Amino acid sequence: MTQPAENQHFPFSAVVGADGPDGPDPMALALILTTIAPEVGGVLVRGEKGTAKSTIVRALAAVLPPVDDHPVPLVELPIGATEDRVTGSINLESALAEGKAEYEPGLLAKAHRGILYVDEVNLLHDHLVDLLLDAAAMGRATVERDGVSMTHEARFVLVGTMNPEEGELRPQLLDRFGLTVEVAAPRDPALRAEVVRRRMAYDADPAAFAATYTAAEAALRSRIASARDLAGAVHLTDAGLLKIAEVCAAFDVDGLRADIVTARTAVAHAAWSGRSQVTLADIRVAARLALPHRRRRKPFDAPGLDDDLLDQVLGDDDLPPDPDPEPDGPEPEPPGTAPDGGDAAHDADGEPIDAPASDATAQDAPQPSGGSGEGSAPSQVAATGSAYRTRLLTVRGIGTGTAGRRSRARTSNGRRIGATTPDRQGGRGGAIHLTETIRAAARHQLARGRTEGRLLLHPTDLRVAVREGRESNLVLFCVDASGSMAARKRMEQVKTAVLSLLLDAYQRRDKVGLVTFRGASAEVALPPTHSVDAAAQRLEELPAGGRTPLAEGLLEAAHLLSVEQTRDPQRRPLLVVVTDGRATSGADAIARSRAAADLLAAAGITSVVVDCEAGPMRMGLAATLAEHLGAEHVPIGEVSAEALVDAARRAA
């Protein structure tokens, strides 16, 4: 559901449905719990498009108890926001007109004691996500720039929404969100019909529709206020804290953030349920919200939680109360402590659980079809992927694209290499370069009639810093899936190399696409997207066989890059052609493939040819293709960064 232009928000209770936030809707519950205890650290909502993610977040603000008789502020952070807009900076008008360095608050200050909402947070620059999460965790924001040094309160509930198909957050950032929930559209036709019915009723008369939920909204607002008052008095026993530690250890999470967040969420849920002491039910709910996204072991693994393992660790018996303190004698050992002093998970009868965390993780991991362990076929191993660290492939020259980690570019962050006027910054904002601004104004002081006193500044004196950093690119893979690749059993090595390059693209925040060619034609297996996970899935399913239509593959890549250049002109492409260089499909196959390569070279496309040719007798066709493309030629065995280092050592 999309949010209409009217000021009347869609009622929160109408989005949650008849079951209410105590029912099966984890998104509503996660949002409510983090408003009860903002120290939980915010909520990340992952889900497909059209699942009312934005609608429910905007509706949440209307049911929260007012702050000092004012509605709770809801601040939306746009994807294109600059760091100055987020944290604040000096007021340019005051600086230029009056010579005063006055601080102008940013979005973090405006969101204080409210909700800061970031739609498509996975598309936000990483350094801005870091900044938001730091402020949300500490409850304050610090500004150090342009001669301004100050700290202000920034206690807000951070809510981010994202569509995983458009790309994932880095695991380091994913872990910083307190809670994560997955949402999807209902598959029950009756429920889908009810959603449409409510939406149409709202569009017809928003005020009348909202009025039907007035009582439900008031009751929800009152319950949230009561839960906030109760939260400070909720008791988490030592046994409950130990049980939380056992759960986190059983799921093999990194660090202690998961334990802390789970404990805070369990306390918030107990308050929401009207209890003054945390129970196993509270811990179970908290674990389901706080742990799934922290179990990710690889970038391409989907987050999830094994409910059977959770039930096994929690057991059936409720938590015992804290023992009475004993003034004399040794302290009793806490339940679940092993004889050697180590901690061990126990079941409801007090017996140790024999499934260690590593075994549980291994049991959850998908096994290749056709067997597992030593009996697995080599091709099946390639399907699951054994990625390695790759050499850095970059686009030639200096770009002006979105900040990332691949190619050199003029960006809004990075090292300062000079200054320029704002109109020559290509529409980009930038931090004021005070030294150069003063230097530009100094030469005009006599003409402006200044003989003493403060510097006379004019807007034309303004200079902004020029910074050089790294940009993200469009990495388009053009992969040969013909019979010449499959016959020599090269596809395992090819898929592993491409998967490793995909992992590198994921870490460098690139956009990726996949073109394959086999038989008599080429196809776009995956249009350019931020979802590297989708590319990895297409790669795993890639069939091989038939002749080698190399020319068709290159021409399809050229067409796709041309379309993307129109859509996103600032994102520079990097074409990675994975082939042995053979061209065997159609008349004049070799001549046509070289003509297609010349076309790409004339368009100025930076290319890399990953040479898959193997065996003692090599024809060198991939190297010739690289010459026509004006591309870097990389044997497939040298895609690995370690192999590149070894080759350099041998050359030395």
Side-chain angles (χ1 to χ4, degrees), residues 386-390 495-505 639:
S386 303
Y388 48 75
R389 188 169 64 91
T390 65
K495 287 186 176 182
T496 303
V498 177
L499 183 67
S500 301
L501 290 168
L502 281 171
L503 176 58
D504 182 67
V639 172

Side-chain angles (χ1 to χ4, degrees), residues 550-602:
L550 177 57
E552 284 73 11
L554 296 176
L555 290 174
E556 187 65 43
H559 173 71
L560 186 59
L561 291 176
S562 176
V563 172
E564 284 301 307
Q565 180 66 22
T566 303
R567 291 177 176 171
D568 191 356
Q570 285 191 318
R571 188 180 296 275
R572 298 189 296 161
L574 174 65
L575 176 63
V576 180
V577 183
V578 185
T579 181
D580 58 7
R582 294 171 180 265
T584 61
S585 178
D588 301 323
I590 295 178
R592 289 190 299 107
S593 64
R594 291 177 178 175
D598 293 338
L599 178 66
L600 284 162

Side-chain angles (χ1 to χ4, degrees), residues 23-305:
D25 191 334
M27 179 178 174
L29 182 58
L31 289 172
I32 288 174
L33 294 181
T34 198
T35 59
I36 293 172
E39 62 273 13
V40 164
V43 179
L44 176 65
V45 183
R46 297 161 42 94
E48 58 195 21
K49 54 186 175 291
T51 50
K53 298 187 297 295
S54 300
T55 301
I56 194 172
V57 172
R58 295 188 178 101
L60 174 65
V63 298
L64 294 182
V67 177
D68 297 334
D69 297 327
H70 292 284
V72 171
L74 173 64
V75 176
E76 298 190 37
L77 191 150
I79 293 300
T82 63
E83 187 173 347
D84 291 350
R85 182 77 180 94
V86 175
T87 62
S89 62
I90 66 171
N91 187 301
L92 290 182
E93 184 176 351
S94 297
L96 295 179
E98 304 174 17
K100 297 180 180 179
E102 294 183 353
Y103 174 69
E104 184 175 7
L107 295 177
L108 293 182
K110 294 180 179 179
H112 180 52
R113 303 179 73 181
I115 299 174
L116 182 62
Y117 172 49
V118 187
D119 193 14
E120 298 182 317
V121 65
N122 52 324
L123 304 183
L124 194 66
H125 291 175
D126 284 352
H127 75 284
L128 289 182
V129 179
D130 277 324
L131 191 153
L132 295 177
L133 292 168
D134 284 340
M138 296 186 296
R140 64 182 184 275
T142 301
V143 181
E144 296 277 356
R145 58 149 48 87
D146 301 332
V148 174
S149 177
M150 70 166 299
T151 299
H152 63 80
E153 286 189 297
R155 289 181 285 109
F156 53 82
V157 175
L158 177 63
V159 181
T161 57
M162 60 173 282
N163 183 352
E165 294 180 356
E166 297 171 346
E168 289 283 0
L169 278 171
R170 288 189 293 118
Q172 296 89 336
L173 296 178
L174 194 63
D175 177 62
R176 298 284 300 281
F177 275 94
L179 310 178
T180 298
V181 291
E182 301 276 339
V183 296
R187 298 296 180 252
D188 183 352
L191 288 177
R192 297 174 72 95
E194 179 61 24
V195 170
V196 175
R197 187 178 297 110
R198 293 185 184 185
R199 181 71 224 198
M200 294 180 69
Y202 175 71
D203 291 339
D205 191 341
F209 181 81
T212 62
Y213 290 90
T214 300
E217 298 284 272
L220 185 57
R221 186 179 298 107
S222 175
R223 185 176 176 185
I224 292 174
S226 299
R228 285 179 172 178
D229 294 338
L230 179 60
V234 172
H235 180 52
L236 175 59
T237 64
D238 289 342
L241 189 57
L242 182 60
K243 185 63 69 175
I244 289 173
E246 290 176 357
V247 170
C248 293
F251 282 104
D252 197 25
V253 298
D254 295 328
L256 293 174
R257 182 176 285 119
D259 304 61
I260 296 171
V261 172
T262 304
R264 289 171 173 171
T265 307
V267 168
H269 188 264
W272 171 247
S273 302
R275 291 189 291 269
S276 60
Q277 182 165 309
V278 172
T279 66
L280 281 182
D282 301 317
I283 296 175
R284 179 176 283 103
V285 170
R288 286 173 174 163
L289 296 174
L291 299 187
H293 60 298
R294 294 184 166 91
R295 292 198 61 229
R296 291 188 54 159
R297 312 315 303 165
K298 297 179 182 178
F300 301 138
D301 290 344
L305 200 67

Side-chain angles (χ1 to χ4, degrees), residues 10 107 141 160 172 177 196 221 303 320 360 387 434 436 459 470 484 511 545 547 562 593 611 618 622 649:
F10 201 92
L107 295 177
Q172 296 89 336
F177 275 94
V196 175
R221 186 179 298 107
L434 291 177
E436 292 301 322
R470 295 279 176 175
S484 65
K511 205 173 181 180
R547 304 183 71 84
S562 176
S593 64
D611 189 348
R618 304 191 182 189
R649 287 174 178 170

Side-chain angles (χ1 to χ4, degrees), residues 324-369:
D324 295 331
E326 297 183 10
D328 300 316
E331 295 184 0
E333 292 185 354
T337 304
D340 60 355
D343 291 336
H346 288 67
D347 62 15
D349 299 323
E351 295 297 325
I353 295 173
D354 24 337
S358 57
D359 291 345
T361 304
Q363 291 169 3
D364 293 342
Q367 298 294 332
S369 60

